[in-house]
Amino acid sequence: ETKEAGSDATERKTTSGDPAARVAETMAPPALVVLLLAVAGAAKAFSCAGATSVKMDFLPSAHVRTDALLFDPELGECVSDHVHTFYGAIDPRAATLRPNATHEVLRQAEGNTGNVVENKSLYWHPTIYKVITDAQGGRRFEIANVWFASAYYVWRTGEAEAFPDGLKMRTHGADPVARATSHCAPEPSPCEREDSCEGGGDFLPEQACWELEINIKFPTCWDGKHVASKDGSHVSWSEGCAAAITEEHWDPECFDFPCPPSHPVRMPEIHLYTRILDYKGGHYVFSDGSDDFHADLLSGWNATELQRVLDECQNESDAASPDFFCSDHLEFRGKPKVEGEQEDDDVDIRESLLSFQPPPVDARRLVAPEAVDGVIELPRGACKGQVLGF
């Protein structure tokens, strides 16, 4: 694992093609000129020097078809359209995995699959499936082995506001500013599948990888009023982020750009990474049947505690850096952190995470009884399925 490498030739951008090209296609030339000028002005006003970052690691807690961002009190508890993989706060009754999970539920959770005690947030994304084809053409969907995930927060010390209690937000790789990528480490190799090497997409590649690393960024600007909205309009990307994406620099540090007047509160930028160990190549798919990645957040921070970190921690990051942790301000479990020193390798990170994991929860017994692994078709359909009583 290294500092972000946007120019790496093995890194894949979103499935809809090059982000810069898609941004340019959707803009008339005058609008593009105006936005580029705005970016140039922002670059003068905001330098990346002095940026601070923190890295927090997680193991998955469960795979289940729920989504707290879509909870509707009028409908009650429903299964979501597709299965998600969850990381973060967890409790023995799996209350954090239920469709109506709240900030209060996360704060009361007894367990946490992450290594930062203060961060009781919940992160999730569509589950990644390996599609196995038999000799007769039948298919079986097996959940891919997610090794571990990481959430990087990037901000300028003293210039970012903590997530409000219970903030919900989503980011989608179909949006160029989400800067979703997949990276085959250390480099791609020929597909190793015995069944078939056909059917792979652009984002989930046909090539094999020792580790496939997937990354996506979240919006950085908040309207200061609402912690959730059905259309996601309570959060926004920073001004100039879209125009800053070019062929040469398609992964800019958008945390450093100003927020629009409609969303004046600047938050730290979250970079969410998830990693699949021993990725065989061939046909893989997300649980919604697509090749597009998206991710969700329900903040479980105590806003006062997080604000203290944002105001007081300062390190020498200029991007999401794997060797800075704000360990003087946050309590880490597992292997002690040393500022400025990157952990040896991903094997060590996973071993450290395994040393403190809470007891596993049975989501099928506690939340939704349907099978989600080794199935002949993907479980799909919002509110089409059973949610068990609490």
Side-chain angles (χ1 to χ4, degrees), residues 29-66:
L32 181 57
V33 170
V34 170
L35 277 172
L36 288 172
L37 289 173
V39 172
K44 291 183 178 180
F46 297 93
S47 167
C48 279
T52 296
S53 78
V54 60
K55 177 178 182 280
M56 299 166 280
D57 299 316
F58 305 81
L59 290 184
S61 61
H63 310 281
V64 61
R65 195 154 60 101
T66 58

Side-chain angles (χ1 to χ4, degrees), residues 102-124:
T102 64
H103 177 262
E104 183 180 6
V105 168
L106 302 191
R107 294 300 302 170
Q108 293 175 351
E110 300 174 15
N112 192 337
T113 69
N115 61 354
V116 171
V117 172
E118 294 88 348
N119 184 7
K120 291 192 170 186
S121 299
L122 196 65
Y123 309 82
W124 64 97

Side-chain angles (χ1 to χ4, degrees), residues 9-20:
T10 64
E11 215 163 345
R12 290 172 173 77
K13 303 165 193 176
T14 52
T15 57
S16 300
D18 177 65

Side-chain angles (χ1 to χ4, degrees), residues 278-334:
D278 194 24
Y279 182 86
K280 297 294 188 182
H283 194 184
Y284 284 77
V285 69
F286 292 111
S287 57
D288 61 359
S290 79
D291 192 45
D292 286 323
F293 189 58
H294 65 266
D296 303 82
L297 164 77
L298 171 55
S299 176
W301 285 95
N302 175 301
T304 301
E305 288 182 341
L306 179 56
Q307 191 63 57
R308 176 179 56 81
V309 178
L310 300 177
D311 288 342
E312 298 178 7
C313 179
Q314 190 162 9
N315 54 46
E316 298 176 357
S317 302
D318 58 4
S321 301
D323 50 355
F324 288 108
F325 311 96
C326 290
S327 56
D328 291 338
H329 301 83
L330 295 168
E331 180 182 350
F332 280 82
R333 299 182 293 171

